[in-house]
C-alpha cells in the first residue's frame, strides 16, 4: 500500500461549497464527486463518514467533531490560503491531511489591496454613491495622491511582495517588517526592511498587513500601535480578520487620528449586527468589501484546480505538496522520494510479518534506518520515517480508523514506544546500488546502543547469534522496489502480493517437495526465487559463533547449506499448510507475508 492509505474504487469526495467547473471536472475523471451546497452542521456530521475527501472554501466549519465522524477521511482541501475554518490540530491527530492553495490567489489579493488603497485615497466609493444620489460634491471629495507616500507592509510573503512591487510602480516608498523575509529578496524589490514594528509604524502613510491569523498576530495592531502612527495615516486589511483590533481601529477613526481604513476581512463574517465590525463597515471613512480579496474569476479557477489536483494525487497515494500539517516536500525531492516511500513501507511490513513470528522478535521496538548512496542526500526523510511506522504496525495493530502518514507518524511512534534512529552515508553503497536502505532491528538488551556510522559498518549486525540478525535491505530499480537482503541471505525480489518465505537446507528435491505440498492445497506458484547465504555475511556469523561457542549454536550447525525459498503465491497459505511444509517438507521454518 502507498503511504497514504488507498481507498476503494471511485473514492467519494464531498463538495459543500462552490468550486470551479474545471476543478470539479478533474476530480470526476477518477472520483465520485458529490456537490451538496447549503448543508447544515448536523447534515454534514451525518453524511461525512461516507467520504474520503472534503473540499471547502471558507463557509464550511470543519470541526473536530466533523473530522472524528469522518472515519474514511484522508484529506481536507481548502480552496484558498487560510485554514481558519478547519481544526488542523484534530486533523493531525487523526492523520487527515489538510491542504490549501497557497499561491492560487496571491495575485488577486495583492491587486485588491491596491484597489482598496486607491479607492480610499481618492474617495471613490463615496464619490460614486454621491453621484448616483444626484449630487455633485467635488470639493467634499478631494483625495490624496499615493505617489511619493510611504506604504508600510507587515508580512513580506508572497502577497506582501506583490503589493510592494505594485506600490513601487505607483511611485510609493515601501518599508516592511518581517523577521523571516530574505534581505536579498527585499532589496531586489526595492523594499526597505526595518527591524521592528515600532520602527515601521511612525514612517508610514498607508499600512497594510499580510500575515496569517495566529496567536502572535491576533490583535497585533491595537491602540498602542495605532498611537505610534502619523495622524492622518490610513490602514488596510486584506489578510485575516482579527489582526487589527476592531474596537481600537473604530476609536482611532472616530477621534480622527486615522484618516481612513479599507477593510476586506472581519472577525466575524458576515458581521453581527451592532458589533464593532458592523460599526466599522458603517463608518463614513471606511471602504469595506465582503471578503473579496480572492474573488476573481482567475483566482477562483486557480485555487480550485490546484486543490483538486492535490486531492487526486493524495488519494492516489502520492505525497502532499501543500499540506499545512505535514512537512513541505520540495518538487525536486518529490520525484526521488516516492518510490522509496513505497519501498520502506514494504520493508516495515515485511519485517513485522516475517520476523515477529519468532520468539526472538519479541519486544523489538528500536530500529536503525540506514540510507546509503544517493538517497542519503535527501533533506526531508519524514515521508520515509512515516512509511516505516505504517509498515511496522499495519499488519499487527488496528489504528481505529486513523491514517498513519507523514501527518501523525511521529505521534503514533511515541504512543507505541517505537524508536527510529536514522543514519546517513553518502559514500557509494557496497552493493553496487546507487541507493540502498537498510532496516536493522535491535535486540532488547542493546536497545540503547547504536551501530557506528558509515555505510559498511552501519549495515553490519552487532555480534549476536545468527538467529538474532533481523536486517532487511532494499533498493529501487526504475521506481520498482526490490528487497536485496533478508537476514543473512542475499536476494532480489519484488515485495508485492502474497509471499511464502521458506527457510530450509538447500538439498536436491526440496523445491519439488514444497511444490507438491502446495499443489495438494490448490496453491498456485506465480514465481519462485532461491536465496543462498551471503558469503560475506556468513564470515561475520562464523566469527560470532566462535566467540559465543559452538555449543550454543549446535554442533550440527552448517549455515553455508541454508537457503531461502521465496515463492509468490496466488492466495493466502493456511497455517496447516505451513505446518505441513515444516513437518513433511523438511522446511526449517516458513512465514506467509501479504504485501
Amino acid at each position: 500500500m502507498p503511504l497514504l492509505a488507498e481507498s476503494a474504487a471511485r473514492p467519494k469526495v464531498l463538495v459543500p461549497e462552490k468550486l470551479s467547473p474545471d476543478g470539479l471536472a478533474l476530480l470526476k475523471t477518477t472520483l465520485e464527486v458529490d456537490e451538496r451546497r447549503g448543508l447544515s452542521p448536523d447534515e454534514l456530521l451525518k453524511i461525512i463518514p461516507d467520504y474520503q475527501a472534503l473540499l471547502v472554501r471558507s463557509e464550511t466549519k470543519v470541526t473536530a467533531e466533523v473530522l472524528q465522524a469522518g472515519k474514511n477521511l484522508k484529506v481536507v482541501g481548502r480552496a484558498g490560503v487560510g485554514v481558519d475554518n478547519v481544526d488542523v490540530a484534530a486533523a493531525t491527530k487523526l492523520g487527515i491531511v489538510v491542504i490549501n492553495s497557497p499561491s492560487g490567489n496571491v495575485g488577486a489579493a495583492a491587486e485588491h489591496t491596491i484597489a482598496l488603497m486607491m479607492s480610499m485615497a481618492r474617495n471613490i466609493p463615496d464619490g460614486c454613491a454621491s453621484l448616483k444620489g444626484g449630487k455633485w460634491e467635488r470639493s467634499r471629495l478631494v483625495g490624496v495622491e499615493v505617489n511619493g507616500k510611504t506604504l508600510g507592509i507587515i508580512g513580506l510573503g508572497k502577497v506582501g511582495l506583490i503589493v510592494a512591487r505594485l506600490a513601487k510602480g505607483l511611485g510609493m516608498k515601501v518599508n516592511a517588517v518581517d523577521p523571516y523575509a530574505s534581505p536579498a529578496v527585499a532589496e531586489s524589490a526595492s523594499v526597505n526592511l526595518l527591524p521592528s514594528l515600532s520602527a515601521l509604524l511612525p514612517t508610514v502613510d498607508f499600512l497594510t498587513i499580510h500575515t496569517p491569523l495566529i496567536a502572535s498576530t491576533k490583535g497585533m495592531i491595537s491602540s498602542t500601535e495605532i498611537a505610534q502612527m502619523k495622524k492622518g495615516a490610513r490602514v488596510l486589511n486584506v489578510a485575516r480578520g482579527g489582526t487589527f483590533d476592531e474596537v481600537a481601529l473604530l476609536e482611532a477613526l472616530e477621534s480622527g487620528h486615522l484618516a481612513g481604513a479599507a477593510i476586506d476581512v472581519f472577525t466575524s463574517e458576515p458581521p453581527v449586527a451592532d458589533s464593532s465590525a458592523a460599526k466599522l463597515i458603517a463608518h463614513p471613512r471606511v471602504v469595506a468589501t465582503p471578503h473579496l480579496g480572492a474573488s476573481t474569476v482567475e483566482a477562483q479557477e486557480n485555487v480550485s484546480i490546484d486543490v483538486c489536483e492535490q486531492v487526486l494525487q493524495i488519494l492516489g497515494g502520492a505525497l502532499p505538496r501543500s499540506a499545512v500539517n505535514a512537512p513541505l516536500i520540495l518538487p525536486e525531492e518529490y520525484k526521488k522520494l516516492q518510490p522509496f516511500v513505497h519501498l520502506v513501507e514494504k520493508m516495515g511490513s515485511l519485517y513485522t510479518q516475517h520476523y515477529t513470528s519468532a520468539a526472538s522478535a519479541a519486544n523489538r521496538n528500536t530500529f536503525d534506518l540506514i540510507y546509503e548512496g544517493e538517497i542519503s542526500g535527501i533533506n526531508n526523510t519524514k515521508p520515509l520515517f512515516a512509511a516505516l511506522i505504517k509498515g511496522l504496525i499495519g499488519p499487527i495493530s488496528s489504528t481505529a480508523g486513523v491514517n498513519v502518514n507523514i501527518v501523525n507518524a511521529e505521534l503514533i511512534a511515541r504512543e507505541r514506544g517505537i524508536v527510529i534512529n536514522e543514519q546517513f552515508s553518502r559514500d557509494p553503497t557496497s552493493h553496487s546500488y546507487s541507493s540502498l536502505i537498510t532496516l536493522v532491528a535491535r535486540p532488547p538488551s542493546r536497545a540503547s546502543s547504536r551501530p557506528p556510522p558509515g555505510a559498511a559498518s552501519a549495515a553490519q549486525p552487532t555480534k549476536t547469534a545468527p538467529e538474532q540478525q533481523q536486517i532487511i535491505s532494499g533498493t529501487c530499480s526504475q521506481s520498482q522496489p526490490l528487497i536485496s537482503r533478508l537476514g543473512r541471505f542475499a536476494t532480489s525480489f519484488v515485495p508485492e502480493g502474497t509471499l511464502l518465505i521458506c527457510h530450509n537446507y538447500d538439498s536436491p528435491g526440496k523445491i519439488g517437495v514444497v511444490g507438491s505440498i502446495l499443489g495438494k492445497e490448490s496453491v498456485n506458484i506465480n514465481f519462485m526465487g532461491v536465496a543462498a547465504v551471503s558469503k560475506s555475511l556468513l564470515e561475520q556469523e562464523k566469527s560470532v559463533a566462535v566467540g559465543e561457542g559452538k555449543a550454543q549454536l549446535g554442533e550440527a550447525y552448517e549455515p553455508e547449506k541454508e537457503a531461502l525459498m521465496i515463492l509468490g503465491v496466488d492466495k493466502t497459505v493456511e497455517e496447516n499448510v505451513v505446518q505441513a511444509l515444516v513437518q513433511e517438507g523438511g522446511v526449517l521454518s516458513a512465514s506467509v507475508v501479504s504485501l
Side-chain angles (χ1 to χ4, degrees), residues 28 237 250 427 452:
K28 290 175 181 177
N237 188 5
L250 185 61
D427 295 333

Side-chain angles (χ1 to χ4, degrees), residues 144-322:
V144 296
E145 295 182 14
V146 299
N147 181 44
K149 301 296 193 304
T150 298
L151 173 65
I153 300 177
I154 302 173
L156 201 63
K158 293 178 180 178
V159 177
L161 198 58
I162 296 174
V163 169
R165 287 171 174 153
L166 293 173
K168 293 297 293 185
L170 294 171
M172 301 185 78
K173 299 174 185 176
V174 180
N175 293 340
V177 61
D178 186 333
Y180 306 107
S182 164
V185 171
E187 185 178 359
S188 69
S190 300
V191 175
N192 182 28
L193 269 181
L194 296 180
S196 65
L197 189 58
S198 59
L200 173 74
L201 294 174
T203 71
V204 305
D205 301 295
F206 295 85
L207 177 69
T208 182
I209 186 168
H210 297 286
T211 68
L213 182 63
I214 56 178
S216 60
T217 62
K218 187 175 182 179
M220 69 183 303
I221 304 299
S222 191
S223 301
T224 302
E225 290 74 26
I226 292 173
Q228 296 176 52
M229 299 176 67
K230 300 176 184 177
K231 181 177 174 59
R234 295 168 170 84
V235 299
L236 303 106
N237 188 5
V238 189
R240 283 286 173 264
T243 51
F244 277 85
D245 181 330
E246 291 175 341
V247 173
L249 181 54
L250 185 61
E251 290 174 353
L253 290 167
E254 292 285 359
S255 69
H257 184 72
L258 291 180
I263 310 171
D264 184 51
V265 289
F266 304 89
T267 51
S268 60
E269 296 181 356
V272 179
D274 294 325
S275 65
S276 55
K279 292 175 182 177
L280 279 172
I281 292 169
H283 198 279
R285 286 197 295 277
V286 171
V287 177
T289 51
H291 203 147
L292 299 180
S295 296
T296 65
V297 173
E298 294 84 356
Q300 300 290 316
E301 190 74 14
N302 290 342
V303 297
S304 293
I305 290 175
D306 183 30
V307 78
C308 288
E309 286 177 343
Q310 291 186 71
V311 166
L312 280 173
Q313 291 165 355
I314 291 171
L315 291 183
L319 301 171
R321 55 181 167 81
S322 292

Side-chain angles (χ1 to χ4, degrees), residues 10 13 107 137 144 257 271 294 335 340 377 428 477 508 573:
R10 303 286 294 183
V13 181
E137 300 179 291
V144 296
H257 184 72
K335 186 176 180 180
F340 287 98
S477 175
V573 180

Side-chain angles (χ1 to χ4, degrees), residues 331-347:
E332 58 269 23
E333 293 180 335
Y334 180 90
K335 186 176 180 180
K336 183 181 290 186
L337 267 179
Q338 186 66 36
F340 287 98
V341 167
H342 196 166
L343 167 68
V344 172
E345 184 183 340
K346 297 290 186 182
M347 290 170 63

Side-chain angles (χ1 to χ4, degrees), residues 97-143:
V97 183
V98 180
I99 58 171
N100 64 348
S101 180
S103 302
N105 57 16
V106 294
E111 287 186 7
H112 197 64
T113 302
I114 297 298
L116 285 179
M117 182 177 69
M118 295 303 300
S119 296
M120 175 172 51
R122 300 305 298 269
N123 298 312
I124 291 173
D126 194 358
C128 180
S130 172
L131 188 59
K132 288 186 175 184
K135 300 176 184 178
W136 190 264
E137 300 179 291
R138 293 182 67 196
S139 59
R140 184 179 72 83
L141 297 169
V142 174

Side-chain angles (χ1 to χ4, degrees), residues 467-488:
E467 65 269 25
Q468 289 185 316
Q469 294 184 10
Q470 296 179 352
I471 301 174
I472 300 174
S473 293
T475 188
C476 288
S477 175
Q478 297 181 342
S479 298
Q480 175 67 65
L482 290 173
I483 300 301
S484 60
R485 174 182 176 181
L486 191 55
R488 65 176 75 94

